[in-house]
Every structure is written in C-alpha cells, then in structure tokens.
Amino acid sequence: MLSAAGIEAEIVSPDIDERRVEERYLAEGGSIEGVALHLAQVKAVSASLVRGEAFCLGADQTLTIAGRLLHKAPNLVEAAHSLAALAGRTHRLTSAFCLARGGKPLFAESDTADLHMRALDAREIARYLDLTGPAVLSSIGVYQFEGLGVHLFDRIDGDYATILGLPILKLLARLRSQGLIAIC
C-alpha cells in the first residue's frame, strides 16, 4: 500500500516478542481494543532506536470476537477451528500505525472494520483451506480478504485498507498534516 501511494519504505523487523508485549500490556490494565495500537507503537519505537533519525512506521492488526483476541493459526487444523469459530458471526479487525523517530513516537492512530462471515459448514471450510493452503497461516482469522477469502463474507462495515492491515487514508492525512509528504 505504501509503494502504491508513492512512499518508499524499507522493511525492518523489530526484535520483539509480540505475545509477551501483548500479555504485559493486558496485565497492566490495557484493553483488547488497544492491543493493535500498543503493538504498533512498540514496533515503531523499537525500529527507530536502531534506525536513528529515520522515520519508522510500525503497524499491527488484531482480530476480536466475543470479547477475546484471535491470533494466527499455527497449522491448517487450527485454521479450520478458527474459521469454524468465525463462521456465521461478526468479528472486528483493528488496524493501527505509529510513526516514530529517534526512539520517540510522533503520532499513532487506529481504525476498525466489522466483518460478518457467512455461515460455513465443515466441507466449505475444508475446500477453502485446500484452495488456499498454508498461505492463510500468515493472516489473523486465516483468511486473506484481498484474495479467495473475500468469498467467506457477506457483509463488511469499514475501510478496505483497514481490513488489509493499514488505515492508509488516516496515515496519509497525518503525514500531510506533519509536512512529511506533499504529493498534492
């Protein structure tokens, strides 16, 4: 999304244990709705400590359903369980970003999208996983909305970019307001 918007970026993976950061955040009273924003901030600040004066963008996405977080499935068996838990129900994706420089966050925001997955039986879930294979293990909710996963849904409320993992319109607005980009 960044390159499509004319923003050059280098990918740097910060050395953080996301589950540990999440657990600590929640244990300290953080809300599940704030997990994505907190993780985005930790990633951005961590990367900016290594990259000095470079602007570092951290991003994260969480999926919540019935008051609990759902994480990426480690294998296709668990992926089938995750899809069965989501089938016929509405879940929320929260996508967040943070821009940091020199170890300090400059700004951060998040956005949400509610997705209603149509009812699926075990045969449909198995067929979907056969078609997509292990690629779905890289996505929370074990679907890739930008691909075959779109067939699993009958309704969404929210921004498409938020579903893909980055509220790009909010990010671009913040970058423009800070004078960091001037495309138009």
Side-chain angles (χ1 to χ4, degrees), residues 110-122:
S110 65
D111 197 14
T112 61
D114 293 327
L115 292 83
H116 183 79
M117 188 175 285
R118 62 187 182 81
L120 301 167
D121 61 29

Side-chain angles (χ1 to χ4, degrees), residues 16-26 35 39 43 60-62 69-72 140:
I16 63 167
D17 181 339
E18 291 186 40
R19 295 297 72 84
R20 177 176 270 174
V21 170
E22 176 186 306
E23 288 170 10
R24 187 175 314 131
Y25 171 77
L26 293 171
V35 169
L39 286 169
K43 289 176 181 180
D60 203 83
Q61 184 179 59
T62 57
L69 289 167
L70 185 69
H71 295 100
K72 294 176 183 175
I140 57 173

Side-chain angles (χ1 to χ4, degrees), residues 166-179:
L166 181 65
I168 190 78
L169 297 178
K170 284 186 173 188
L171 173 61
L172 294 174
R174 291 301 296 265
L175 292 171
R176 281 191 303 274
S177 74
Q178 299 291 314

Side-chain angles (χ1 to χ4, degrees), residues 1 61 93 95 113 115 139 143-147 159-167:
M1 280 190 270
Q61 184 179 59
L93 291 176
S95 295
L115 292 83
S139 300
Y143 57 82
Q144 292 171 322
F145 194 82
E146 68 277 21
D159 185 71
Y160 182 71
T162 295
I163 295 168
L164 297 185
L166 181 65

Side-chain angles (χ1 to χ4, degrees), residues 69-140:
L69 289 167
L70 185 69
H71 295 100
K72 294 176 183 175
N75 55 56
L76 291 174
V77 171
E78 289 300 316
H81 292 302
S82 292
L83 287 173
L86 295 171
R89 300 174 69 192
T90 299
H91 64 273
R92 173 165 283 179
L93 291 176
T94 301
S95 295
F97 64 83
C98 175
L99 191 73
R101 186 177 192 193
K104 297 187 184 329
L106 303 176
F107 57 80
E109 284 196 51
S110 65
D111 197 14
T112 61
D114 293 327
L115 292 83
H116 183 79
M117 188 175 285
R118 62 187 182 81
L120 301 167
D121 61 29
R123 182 187 55 78
E124 291 170 308
I125 291 171
R127 174 76 174 134
Y128 172 73
L129 292 174
D130 284 344
L131 289 171
T132 57
V136 297
L137 301 179
S138 66
S139 300
I140 57 173

Side-chain angles (χ1 to χ4, degrees), residues 9-50:
E10 175 186 345
I11 297 173
V12 176
S13 297
D15 187 24
I16 63 167
D17 181 339
E18 291 186 40
R19 295 297 72 84
R20 177 176 270 174
V21 170
E22 176 186 306
E23 288 170 10
R24 187 175 314 131
Y25 171 77
L26 293 171
E28 293 173 354
S31 68
I32 62 170
E33 294 83 10
V35 169
L37 188 61
H38 182 69
L39 286 169
Q41 290 172 330
V42 169
K43 289 176 181 180
V45 169
S46 176
S48 74
L49 288 170
V50 174

